[in-house]
Amino acid sequence: MNRKQFLVIIVLGLVIGGLGIYFAKQQKGSYTSSSFREDQKVIPDFPLNDVAHIRVLQGTNEVNLVRGDVWTVKERWNYPANFTEISDFLRNMWELEPVQDVEAGPSQYGRLNLLSPAENKGTNSATLVEFEDEKGGNLKSILLGKEYMQESRGGMGGGFPVGRYVLVPESKQVWLVNETFSNIGTDPAQWLNKDFFKVEKIKSVSVTSPNPTNTWSLSRESENGEWKMAALKEGENFDASKASSLNYALSSPTFNDVVSPEAKPEETGLNEPTVAKLETFDGFAYTVTLGKTNEDNIHLKVAVAANFATERTPGADEKPEDKEKLDKEFKEKIEKLQEKLKKEEAFEKWTYLLSKWTVDALLKPRSDFLAEKREEEKPAENGNATEPSAGLDPLSPGASPIPALPPSVPPSTRPRP
């Protein structure tokens, strides 16, 4: 390649690069307005600390989150809401910056799913979020529209959301933001505080069922000890390995929803319940009442009591210099247990819906913990010999002898061994 050819290649590269930049700017200019600033906030001066009511409206559905002593979900009889979810959402609104501003008038709102659900209930409507103060005055609002999708690598398997189009009614400005807000919806259950009781260090489990054959009681002497069944009947053999699922029964349960406080026991099945009592080595006693199964969910109520040691018993060889440290550790442990008790007592007034598998270990019939009985050999009709098992070699030791053939049978038809 000579010098002249080299210069021609450089010039062509510059021309092509310049045209690419020009067309990119033209395309961007047709999509965004010149008013965009990098420090622009989607909702300027968002009153983070003044918000006392969040209303989420989507189609014909809505949910109301109300701040009192704690945040609650109005549509779930003012059950406590998930404070972390709400505070994160409010902070996102306060900090929200656009990636791009979009030139789109009312006639284009439909294609971006930005039509107000208050005026349009169709598929092109947005999710409307309104923020109010404690007196019910409107502070700010925002419409959450269509998700912005990014194609997966190689263009296979469709895309995934990386952002969302939003509209601020106050300014009538459409923005593209890098938040998807996929967890902002109108299902009241999704906003509930899912903190729940936890049964730890189980000492004993007793289950009383409406069906007496499913009633049983098991206990163990230490956290790592072997389970033992009470009141074994003659001929029953308990299989401790089948009780291993009780080691962590209700150790980390969660619930899907709560039930109306006005629901009747006949509706929840708590008029004829299965009752499980669980005691722990820490002194907790849980009474878990189980009712009807609704699809894959079961109705549950829980009552909690506790009996803690008030004083620590010093060890026989305990040194005086260790006493202060051990007394402090004991006091801190009791304080934590008392705090746990106070927190879990708050669950007593509610009826919950849990996935049935969460309590499967408590719904086992008594027979599931027993060793399987070996099938006994049946006596022969003559009362002396036993019938050979299917497939047993008739010539093997212990097998019944082959009966002699009658003389009338020719030798050629006799069976060969």
PDB file of all heavy atoms in Angstrom, residues 198-205 220 223 227 249-250 277-286 304-308 337 340 344:
ATOM      1  N   LYS A 198     -41.006 -17.575  65.182  1.00  0.00           N
ATOM      2  CA  LYS A 198     -40.051 -18.624  64.834  1.00  0.00           C
ATOM      3  C   LYS A 198     -39.876 -19.551  66.034  1.00  0.00           C
ATOM      4  O   LYS A 198     -39.575 -19.095  67.137  1.00  0.00           O
ATOM      5  CB  LYS A 198     -38.699 -18.015  64.448  1.00  0.00           C
ATOM      6  CG  LYS A 198     -38.735 -17.165  63.185  1.00  0.00           C
ATOM      7  CD  LYS A 198     -37.361 -16.626  62.844  1.00  0.00           C
ATOM      8  CE  LYS A 198     -37.399 -15.793  61.573  1.00  0.00           C
ATOM      9  NZ  LYS A 198     -36.066 -15.254  61.205  1.00  0.00           N
ATOM     10  N   VAL A 199     -40.064 -20.827  65.794  1.00  0.00           N
ATOM     11  CA  VAL A 199     -39.891 -21.821  66.847  1.00  0.00           C
ATOM     12  C   VAL A 199     -38.463 -22.359  66.762  1.00  0.00           C
ATOM     13  O   VAL A 199     -38.072 -22.923  65.743  1.00  0.00           O
ATOM     14  CB  VAL A 199     -40.909 -22.967  66.706  1.00  0.00           C
ATOM     15  CG1 VAL A 199     -40.757 -23.955  67.853  1.00  0.00           C
ATOM     16  CG2 VAL A 199     -42.323 -22.412  66.672  1.00  0.00           C
ATOM     17  N   GLU A 200     -37.714 -22.184  67.835  1.00  0.00           N
ATOM     18  CA  GLU A 200     -36.294 -22.571  67.838  1.00  0.00           C
ATOM     19  C   GLU A 200     -36.008 -23.524  69.000  1.00  0.00           C
ATOM     20  O   GLU A 200     -36.607 -23.420  70.060  1.00  0.00           O
ATOM     21  CB  GLU A 200     -35.412 -21.328  67.956  1.00  0.00           C
ATOM     22  CG  GLU A 200     -35.628 -20.326  66.821  1.00  0.00           C
ATOM     23  CD  GLU A 200     -34.945 -18.990  67.061  1.00  0.00           C
ATOM     24  OE1 GLU A 200     -35.224 -18.375  68.108  1.00  0.00           O
ATOM     25  OE2 GLU A 200     -34.140 -18.576  66.214  1.00  0.00           O
ATOM     26  N   LYS A 201     -35.094 -24.443  68.778  1.00  0.00           N
ATOM     27  CA  LYS A 201     -34.641 -25.377  69.811  1.00  0.00           C
ATOM     28  C   LYS A 201     -35.813 -26.167  70.400  1.00  0.00           C
ATOM     29  O   LYS A 201     -36.100 -26.122  71.592  1.00  0.00           O
ATOM     30  CB  LYS A 201     -33.887 -24.633  70.912  1.00  0.00           C
ATOM     31  CG  LYS A 201     -32.699 -23.823  70.421  1.00  0.00           C
ATOM     32  CD  LYS A 201     -32.042 -23.052  71.543  1.00  0.00           C
ATOM     33  CE  LYS A 201     -30.886 -22.228  71.030  1.00  0.00           C
ATOM     34  NZ  LYS A 201     -30.234 -21.449  72.117  1.00  0.00           N
ATOM     35  N   ILE A 202     -36.484 -26.915  69.548  1.00  0.00           N
ATOM     36  CA  ILE A 202     -37.693 -27.629  69.959  1.00  0.00           C
ATOM     37  C   ILE A 202     -37.365 -28.765  70.939  1.00  0.00           C
ATOM     38  O   ILE A 202     -36.465 -29.565  70.717  1.00  0.00           O
ATOM     39  CB  ILE A 202     -38.428 -28.196  68.733  1.00  0.00           C
ATOM     40  CG1 ILE A 202     -38.862 -27.052  67.807  1.00  0.00           C
ATOM     41  CG2 ILE A 202     -39.646 -29.000  69.161  1.00  0.00           C
ATOM     42  CD1 ILE A 202     -39.571 -27.514  66.563  1.00  0.00           C
ATOM     43  N   LYS A 203     -38.157 -28.816  72.014  1.00  0.00           N
ATOM     44  CA  LYS A 203     -38.008 -29.847  73.044  1.00  0.00           C
ATOM     45  C   LYS A 203     -39.071 -30.928  72.908  1.00  0.00           C
ATOM     46  O   LYS A 203     -38.788 -32.121  73.083  1.00  0.00           O
ATOM     47  CB  LYS A 203     -38.092 -29.191  74.417  1.00  0.00           C
ATOM     48  CG  LYS A 203     -37.973 -30.153  75.582  1.00  0.00           C
ATOM     49  CD  LYS A 203     -38.081 -29.394  76.902  1.00  0.00           C
ATOM     50  CE  LYS A 203     -37.964 -30.325  78.097  1.00  0.00           C
ATOM     51  NZ  LYS A 203     -38.092 -29.578  79.373  1.00  0.00           N
ATOM     52  N   SER A 204     -40.306 -30.515  72.594  1.00  0.00           N
ATOM     53  CA  SER A 204     -41.390 -31.489  72.465  1.00  0.00           C
ATOM     54  C   SER A 204     -42.458 -30.965  71.516  1.00  0.00           C
ATOM     55  O   SER A 204     -42.615 -29.748  71.343  1.00  0.00           O
ATOM     56  CB  SER A 204     -42.017 -31.787  73.831  1.00  0.00           C
ATOM     57  OG  SER A 204     -42.673 -30.635  74.346  1.00  0.00           O
ATOM     58  N   VAL A 205     -43.166 -31.901  70.895  1.00  0.00           N
ATOM     59  CA  VAL A 205     -44.280 -31.585  70.001  1.00  0.00           C
ATOM     60  C   VAL A 205     -45.419 -32.540  70.310  1.00  0.00           C
ATOM     61  O   VAL A 205     -45.234 -33.764  70.314  1.00  0.00           O
ATOM     62  CB  VAL A 205     -43.883 -31.724  68.514  1.00  0.00           C
ATOM     63  CG1 VAL A 205     -45.062 -31.322  67.625  1.00  0.00           C
ATOM     64  CG2 VAL A 205     -42.661 -30.894  68.178  1.00  0.00           C
ATOM     65  N   ARG A 220     -37.714 -34.953  73.234  1.00  0.00           N
ATOM     66  CA  ARG A 220     -36.295 -35.329  73.285  1.00  0.00           C
ATOM     67  C   ARG A 220     -35.649 -34.626  74.471  1.00  0.00           C
ATOM     68  O   ARG A 220     -36.131 -33.588  74.945  1.00  0.00           O
ATOM     69  CB  ARG A 220     -35.580 -34.983  71.969  1.00  0.00           C
ATOM     70  CG  ARG A 220     -35.687 -33.522  71.549  1.00  0.00           C
ATOM     71  CD  ARG A 220     -35.017 -33.298  70.218  1.00  0.00           C
ATOM     72  NE  ARG A 220     -35.131 -31.898  69.771  1.00  0.00           N
ATOM     73  CZ  ARG A 220     -34.542 -31.400  68.685  1.00  0.00           C
ATOM     74  NH1 ARG A 220     -33.782 -32.190  67.929  1.00  0.00           N
ATOM     75  NH2 ARG A 220     -34.706 -30.135  68.349  1.00  0.00           N
ATOM     76  N   GLU A 223     -31.052 -30.830  72.499  1.00  0.00           N
ATOM     77  CA  GLU A 223     -31.242 -30.299  71.140  1.00  0.00           C
ATOM     78  C   GLU A 223     -30.802 -31.285  70.078  1.00  0.00           C
ATOM     79  O   GLU A 223     -31.376 -31.322  68.986  1.00  0.00           O
ATOM     80  CB  GLU A 223     -30.478 -28.983  70.983  1.00  0.00           C
ATOM     81  CG  GLU A 223     -31.079 -27.814  71.739  1.00  0.00           C
ATOM     82  CD  GLU A 223     -30.335 -26.534  71.469  1.00  0.00           C
ATOM     83  OE1 GLU A 223     -30.046 -26.247  70.280  1.00  0.00           O
ATOM     84  OE2 GLU A 223     -30.015 -25.813  72.433  1.00  0.00           O
ATOM     85  N   TRP A 227     -35.487 -38.338  69.156  1.00  0.00           N
ATOM     86  CA  TRP A 227     -36.898 -38.203  69.467  1.00  0.00           C
ATOM     87  C   TRP A 227     -37.454 -39.514  70.023  1.00  0.00           C
ATOM     88  O   TRP A 227     -37.052 -40.601  69.611  1.00  0.00           O
ATOM     89  CB  TRP A 227     -37.695 -37.799  68.233  1.00  0.00           C
ATOM     90  CG  TRP A 227     -37.459 -36.386  67.787  1.00  0.00           C
ATOM     91  CD1 TRP A 227     -36.637 -35.954  66.801  1.00  0.00           C
ATOM     92  CD2 TRP A 227     -38.083 -35.217  68.332  1.00  0.00           C
ATOM     93  NE1 TRP A 227     -36.695 -34.585  66.676  1.00  0.00           N
ATOM     94  CE2 TRP A 227     -37.580 -34.101  67.611  1.00  0.00           C
ATOM     95  CE3 TRP A 227     -39.005 -34.986  69.356  1.00  0.00           C
ATOM     96  CZ2 TRP A 227     -37.974 -32.799  67.890  1.00  0.00           C
ATOM     97  CZ3 TRP A 227     -39.398 -33.680  69.632  1.00  0.00           C
ATOM     98  CH2 TRP A 227     -38.883 -32.610  68.910  1.00  0.00           C
ATOM     99  N   ALA A 249     -39.244 -27.765  62.638  1.00  0.00           N
ATOM    100  CA  ALA A 249     -40.641 -27.432  62.382  1.00  0.00           C
ATOM    101  C   ALA A 249     -40.915 -25.984  62.788  1.00  0.00           C
ATOM    102  O   ALA A 249     -40.601 -25.565  63.903  1.00  0.00           O
ATOM    103  CB  ALA A 249     -41.551 -28.383  63.161  1.00  0.00           C
ATOM    104  N   LEU A 250     -41.464 -25.207  61.845  1.00  0.00           N
ATOM    105  CA  LEU A 250     -41.801 -23.797  62.069  1.00  0.00           C
ATOM    106  C   LEU A 250     -40.596 -22.976  62.530  1.00  0.00           C
ATOM    107  O   LEU A 250     -40.727 -22.005  63.260  1.00  0.00           O
ATOM    108  CB  LEU A 250     -42.927 -23.678  63.099  1.00  0.00           C
ATOM    109  CG  LEU A 250     -44.263 -24.324  62.702  1.00  0.00           C
ATOM    110  CD1 LEU A 250     -45.258 -24.197  63.845  1.00  0.00           C
ATOM    111  CD2 LEU A 250     -44.825 -23.704  61.442  1.00  0.00           C
ATOM    112  N   LYS A 277     -48.922 -28.333  70.016  1.00  0.00           N
ATOM    113  CA  LYS A 277     -48.250 -27.619  71.088  1.00  0.00           C
ATOM    114  C   LYS A 277     -46.760 -27.932  71.023  1.00  0.00           C
ATOM    115  O   LYS A 277     -46.367 -29.103  71.064  1.00  0.00           O
ATOM    116  CB  LYS A 277     -48.832 -28.018  72.443  1.00  0.00           C
ATOM    117  CG  LYS A 277     -50.285 -27.587  72.615  1.00  0.00           C
ATOM    118  CD  LYS A 277     -50.814 -27.896  74.009  1.00  0.00           C
ATOM    119  CE  LYS A 277     -52.244 -27.398  74.171  1.00  0.00           C
ATOM    120  NZ  LYS A 277     -52.771 -27.672  75.536  1.00  0.00           N
ATOM    121  N   LEU A 278     -45.963 -26.872  70.911  1.00  0.00           N
ATOM    122  CA  LEU A 278     -44.511 -27.023  70.773  1.00  0.00           C
ATOM    123  C   LEU A 278     -43.821 -26.302  71.926  1.00  0.00           C
ATOM    124  O   LEU A 278     -44.073 -25.118  72.168  1.00  0.00           O
ATOM    125  CB  LEU A 278     -44.020 -26.445  69.442  1.00  0.00           C
ATOM    126  CG  LEU A 278     -44.623 -27.032  68.163  1.00  0.00           C
ATOM    127  CD1 LEU A 278     -45.848 -26.219  67.728  1.00  0.00           C
ATOM    128  CD2 LEU A 278     -43.591 -27.036  67.029  1.00  0.00           C
ATOM    129  N   GLU A 279     -42.970 -27.008  72.642  1.00  0.00           N
ATOM    130  CA  GLU A 279     -42.186 -26.422  73.723  1.00  0.00           C
ATOM    131  C   GLU A 279     -40.717 -26.421  73.327  1.00  0.00           C
ATOM    132  O   GLU A 279     -40.241 -27.329  72.635  1.00  0.00           O
ATOM    133  CB  GLU A 279     -42.386 -27.206  75.019  1.00  0.00           C
ATOM    134  CG  GLU A 279     -43.807 -27.153  75.548  1.00  0.00           C
ATOM    135  CD  GLU A 279     -43.954 -27.895  76.873  1.00  0.00           C
ATOM    136  OE1 GLU A 279     -42.965 -28.528  77.303  1.00  0.00           O
ATOM    137  OE2 GLU A 279     -45.040 -27.831  77.471  1.00  0.00           O
ATOM    138  N   THR A 280     -39.988 -25.381  73.775  1.00  0.00           N
ATOM    139  CA  THR A 280     -38.581 -25.251  73.401  1.00  0.00           C
ATOM    140  C   THR A 280     -37.693 -25.307  74.648  1.00  0.00           C
ATOM    141  O   THR A 280     -38.154 -25.113  75.770  1.00  0.00           O
ATOM    142  CB  THR A 280     -38.330 -23.927  72.655  1.00  0.00           C
ATOM    143  OG1 THR A 280     -38.335 -22.840  73.592  1.00  0.00           O
ATOM    144  CG2 THR A 280     -39.405 -23.676  71.598  1.00  0.00           C
ATOM    145  N   PHE A 281     -36.417 -25.527  74.401  1.00  0.00           N
ATOM    146  CA  PHE A 281     -35.462 -25.567  75.506  1.00  0.00           C
ATOM    147  C   PHE A 281     -35.214 -24.173  76.089  1.00  0.00           C
ATOM    148  O   PHE A 281     -34.648 -24.054  77.184  1.00  0.00           O
ATOM    149  CB  PHE A 281     -34.140 -26.180  75.034  1.00  0.00           C
ATOM    150  CG  PHE A 281     -34.214 -27.655  74.789  1.00  0.00           C
ATOM    151  CD1 PHE A 281     -34.354 -28.159  73.513  1.00  0.00           C
ATOM    152  CD2 PHE A 281     -34.165 -28.552  75.848  1.00  0.00           C
ATOM    153  CE1 PHE A 281     -34.420 -29.527  73.282  1.00  0.00           C
ATOM    154  CE2 PHE A 281     -34.242 -29.925  75.634  1.00  0.00           C
ATOM    155  CZ  PHE A 281     -34.375 -30.416  74.348  1.00  0.00           C
ATOM    156  N   ASP A 282     -35.633 -23.117  75.386  1.00  0.00           N
ATOM    157  CA  ASP A 282     -35.496 -21.747  75.887  1.00  0.00           C
ATOM    158  C   ASP A 282     -36.660 -21.330  76.767  1.00  0.00           C
ATOM    159  O   ASP A 282     -36.675 -20.216  77.292  1.00  0.00           O
ATOM    160  CB  ASP A 282     -35.381 -20.760  74.716  1.00  0.00           C
ATOM    161  CG  ASP A 282     -33.986 -20.755  74.113  1.00  0.00           C
ATOM    162  OD1 ASP A 282     -33.036 -21.123  74.839  1.00  0.00           O
ATOM    163  OD2 ASP A 282     -33.846 -20.388  72.939  1.00  0.00           O
ATOM    164  N   GLY A 283     -37.680 -22.195  76.901  1.00  0.00           N
ATOM    165  CA  GLY A 283     -38.798 -21.870  77.767  1.00  0.00           C
ATOM    166  C   GLY A 283     -40.032 -21.347  77.061  1.00  0.00           C
ATOM    167  O   GLY A 283     -41.001 -20.940  77.716  1.00  0.00           O
ATOM    168  N   PHE A 284     -40.035 -21.360  75.717  1.00  0.00           N
ATOM    169  CA  PHE A 284     -41.211 -20.918  74.963  1.00  0.00           C
ATOM    170  C   PHE A 284     -42.207 -22.062  74.827  1.00  0.00           C
ATOM    171  O   PHE A 284     -41.828 -23.238  74.733  1.00  0.00           O
ATOM    172  CB  PHE A 284     -40.820 -20.431  73.564  1.00  0.00           C
ATOM    173  CG  PHE A 284     -40.271 -19.033  73.532  1.00  0.00           C
ATOM    174  CD1 PHE A 284     -38.922 -18.803  73.716  1.00  0.00           C
ATOM    175  CD2 PHE A 284     -41.104 -17.946  73.319  1.00  0.00           C
ATOM    176  CE1 PHE A 284     -38.407 -17.526  73.690  1.00  0.00           C
ATOM    177  CE2 PHE A 284     -40.607 -16.660  73.287  1.00  0.00           C
ATOM    178  CZ  PHE A 284     -39.249 -16.441  73.478  1.00  0.00           C
ATOM    179  N   ALA A 285     -43.498 -21.703  74.786  1.00  0.00           N
ATOM    180  CA  ALA A 285     -44.563 -22.673  74.536  1.00  0.00           C
ATOM    181  C   ALA A 285     -45.499 -22.087  73.491  1.00  0.00           C
ATOM    182  O   ALA A 285     -46.104 -21.030  73.713  1.00  0.00           O
ATOM    183  CB  ALA A 285     -45.314 -22.973  75.824  1.00  0.00           C
ATOM    184  N   TYR A 286     -45.601 -22.749  72.339  1.00  0.00           N
ATOM    185  CA  TYR A 286     -46.440 -22.291  71.225  1.00  0.00           C
ATOM    186  C   TYR A 286     -47.644 -23.219  71.082  1.00  0.00           C
ATOM    187  O   TYR A 286     -47.500 -24.452  71.109  1.00  0.00           O
ATOM    188  CB  TYR A 286     -45.657 -22.301  69.908  1.00  0.00           C
ATOM    189  CG  TYR A 286     -44.475 -21.360  69.873  1.00  0.00           C
ATOM    190  CD1 TYR A 286     -43.225 -21.763  70.343  1.00  0.00           C
ATOM    191  CD2 TYR A 286     -44.604 -20.076  69.353  1.00  0.00           C
ATOM    192  CE1 TYR A 286     -42.139 -20.912  70.305  1.00  0.00           C
ATOM    193  CE2 TYR A 286     -43.520 -19.211  69.303  1.00  0.00           C
ATOM    194  CZ  TYR A 286     -42.287 -19.632  69.786  1.00  0.00           C
ATOM    195  OH  TYR A 286     -41.210 -18.779  69.751  1.00  0.00           O
ATOM    196  N   VAL A 304     -48.621 -17.626  72.112  1.00  0.00           N
ATOM    197  CA  VAL A 304     -47.253 -17.777  72.605  1.00  0.00           C
ATOM    198  C   VAL A 304     -47.209 -17.483  74.105  1.00  0.00           C
ATOM    199  O   VAL A 304     -47.812 -16.511  74.577  1.00  0.00           O
ATOM    200  CB  VAL A 304     -46.291 -16.814  71.888  1.00  0.00           C
ATOM    201  CG1 VAL A 304     -44.844 -17.153  72.234  1.00  0.00           C
ATOM    202  CG2 VAL A 304     -46.497 -16.863  70.379  1.00  0.00           C
ATOM    203  N   ALA A 305     -46.505 -18.332  74.843  1.00  0.00           N
ATOM    204  CA  ALA A 305     -46.258 -18.112  76.265  1.00  0.00           C
ATOM    205  C   ALA A 305     -44.797 -18.482  76.526  1.00  0.00           C
ATOM    206  O   ALA A 305     -44.136 -19.099  75.682  1.00  0.00           O
ATOM    207  CB  ALA A 305     -47.198 -18.949  77.122  1.00  0.00           C
ATOM    208  N   ALA A 306     -44.290 -18.074  77.681  1.00  0.00           N
ATOM    209  CA  ALA A 306     -42.897 -18.383  77.982  1.00  0.00           C
ATOM    210  C   ALA A 306     -42.680 -18.406  79.481  1.00  0.00           C
ATOM    211  O   ALA A 306     -43.394 -17.750  80.254  1.00  0.00           O
ATOM    212  CB  ALA A 306     -41.972 -17.363  77.332  1.00  0.00           C
ATOM    213  N   ASN A 307     -41.683 -19.166  79.897  1.00  0.00           N
ATOM    214  CA  ASN A 307     -41.293 -19.254  81.302  1.00  0.00           C
ATOM    215  C   ASN A 307     -39.767 -19.261  81.346  1.00  0.00           C
ATOM    216  O   ASN A 307     -39.140 -20.294  81.080  1.00  0.00           O
ATOM    217  CB  ASN A 307     -41.869 -20.520  81.944  1.00  0.00           C
ATOM    218  CG  ASN A 307     -41.544 -20.624  83.425  1.00  0.00           C
ATOM    219  OD1 ASN A 307     -41.200 -19.621  84.071  1.00  0.00           O
ATOM    220  ND2 ASN A 307     -41.634 -21.831  83.970  1.00  0.00           N
ATOM    221  N   PHE A 308     -39.192 -18.089  81.631  1.00  0.00           N
ATOM    222  CA  PHE A 308     -37.733 -17.956  81.632  1.00  0.00           C
ATOM    223  C   PHE A 308     -37.179 -18.018  83.052  1.00  0.00           C
ATOM    224  O   PHE A 308     -37.837 -17.583  84.005  1.00  0.00           O
ATOM    225  CB  PHE A 308     -37.310 -16.619  81.009  1.00  0.00           C
ATOM    226  CG  PHE A 308     -37.875 -16.369  79.647  1.00  0.00           C
ATOM    227  CD1 PHE A 308     -38.480 -15.158  79.348  1.00  0.00           C
ATOM    228  CD2 PHE A 308     -37.815 -17.345  78.666  1.00  0.00           C
ATOM    229  CE1 PHE A 308     -38.998 -14.914  78.096  1.00  0.00           C
ATOM    230  CE2 PHE A 308     -38.337 -17.117  77.413  1.00  0.00           C
ATOM    231  CZ  PHE A 308     -38.946 -15.893  77.126  1.00  0.00           C
ATOM    232  N   LEU A 337     -34.793 -12.839  74.819  1.00  0.00           N
ATOM    233  CA  LEU A 337     -35.930 -13.755  74.820  1.00  0.00           C
ATOM    234  C   LEU A 337     -37.226 -13.017  75.172  1.00  0.00           C
ATOM    235  O   LEU A 337     -38.283 -13.286  74.597  1.00  0.00           O
ATOM    236  CB  LEU A 337     -35.688 -14.890  75.823  1.00  0.00           C
ATOM    237  CG  LEU A 337     -34.559 -15.865  75.477  1.00  0.00           C
ATOM    238  CD1 LEU A 337     -34.369 -16.876  76.593  1.00  0.00           C
ATOM    239  CD2 LEU A 337     -34.836 -16.577  74.158  1.00  0.00           C
ATOM    240  N   LYS A 340     -38.296 -11.111  72.140  1.00  0.00           N
ATOM    241  CA  LYS A 340     -38.887 -12.052  71.170  1.00  0.00           C
ATOM    242  C   LYS A 340     -40.323 -12.389  71.571  1.00  0.00           C
ATOM    243  O   LYS A 340     -41.227 -12.414  70.723  1.00  0.00           O
ATOM    244  CB  LYS A 340     -38.021 -13.318  71.107  1.00  0.00           C
ATOM    245  CG  LYS A 340     -38.609 -14.473  70.281  1.00  0.00           C
ATOM    246  CD  LYS A 340     -37.651 -15.655  70.297  1.00  0.00           C
ATOM    247  CE  LYS A 340     -38.303 -16.927  69.778  1.00  0.00           C
ATOM    248  NZ  LYS A 340     -38.575 -16.873  68.330  1.00  0.00           N
ATOM    249  N   GLU A 344     -43.724 -11.650  69.357  1.00  0.00           N
ATOM    250  CA  GLU A 344     -44.525 -12.755  68.839  1.00  0.00           C
ATOM    251  C   GLU A 344     -45.933 -12.776  69.435  1.00  0.00           C
ATOM    252  O   GLU A 344     -46.849 -13.330  68.826  1.00  0.00           O
ATOM    253  CB  GLU A 344     -43.799 -14.077  69.089  1.00  0.00           C
ATOM    254  CG  GLU A 344     -42.496 -14.175  68.294  1.00  0.00           C
ATOM    255  CD  GLU A 344     -41.826 -15.523  68.394  1.00  0.00           C
ATOM    256  OE1 GLU A 344     -42.162 -16.285  69.332  1.00  0.00           O
ATOM    257  OE2 GLU A 344     -40.973 -15.824  67.536  1.00  0.00           O
TER     258      GLU A 344
END
